[in-house]
Amino acid sequence: MTAAKALLSVQALNVRYGPALALQNVSLELNRGDVVAVLGSNGAGKSTLARTISGLVPAAGGTVAFEGKDITRRAAHRVRRDGIVYLPEGRGIFPALTVTENIRMAADLLPRGQRRHAMDEAMEVFPNLAIRRGVKSGLLSGGEQQMLSLSRGLITGPKLIIADEMSLGLAPKLVDMVFDALGRLKAAGVTMIIIEQFVHRALKFADQCVVLSRGQVAWQGAPEGADQEILARYLGEGADVTGD
Ligand code: ATP
């Protein structure tokens, strides 16, 4: 894969929080339609990678290129406009607002003439949300809140979605629901980086896998190559490496 062809190309990225180096020499490339799983134990640097690509944390070194353009120092709102949507841990929805109001706020980023159609489409992708459209989103189940977060992210037709621990804290049935939704996006050709604690599900789902350990890429390759030994060595205790 050449850098010119890649949708996203991260090269030798370094990120510091004060004196601490949170990412060191991290590189990864994604083509259109790829799904990459970023795995690693707590504090490995997964969210930092997502936040740096999204323009929320500055890089101390290295580059991030999107569609061949250097976006390393681009502000988060411009990165969003370029087509990279970051779905943070914690969902980023407004609990006091209804489902419709949450989706409408996201649709406001679109030109006026496109908003109605985009909102209808967002409801069609997740029929559960349509049923719950008048409900305050804080009252939705965790899985439904994740659907809402995804649907808000999708409404502007992003070129890349970065989903940070979407299944965190969800009951197994709701994790299924989240992976079903991600599966539909994958089938529709959406390019994704998924950060996941459910390692086996993420590996089944992804085309490529990046394992971070202490801010560095410890292993990278096709999911079939990520055997138990690698997972146990880098994901440590507490990681779901035994199955789903
Ligand atoms: P988790 O699974 O716990 O979310 P992670 O792999 O996403 O972990 P990061 O949140 O990227 O890891 O954190 C990487 C390192 O940077 C950790 O040592 C963390 O304590 C540190 N860190 C993260 N955010 C900050 C911050 N805002 N200021 C200082 N240090 C930070």
Side-chain angles (χ1 to χ4, degrees), residues 22-23 37-49 89 164-165 168 195-199 209-219 230-241:
L23 288 182
V38 176
L39 310 173
S41 56
N42 285 348
K46 306 180 296 295
S47 297
T48 299
L49 175 60
E89 242 181 286
D164 198 345
E165 307 238 25
L168 189 72
I195 296 174
E196 259 305 324
Q197 49 162 344
F198 289 101
V199 172
C209 165
V210 175
V211 178
L212 292 180
S213 174
R214 296 166 196 255
Q216 300 190 47
V217 176
W219 191 86
I230 287 169
L231 300 179
R233 187 178 336 148
Y234 296 115
L235 303 179
E237 286 177 35
D240 164 39
V241 296

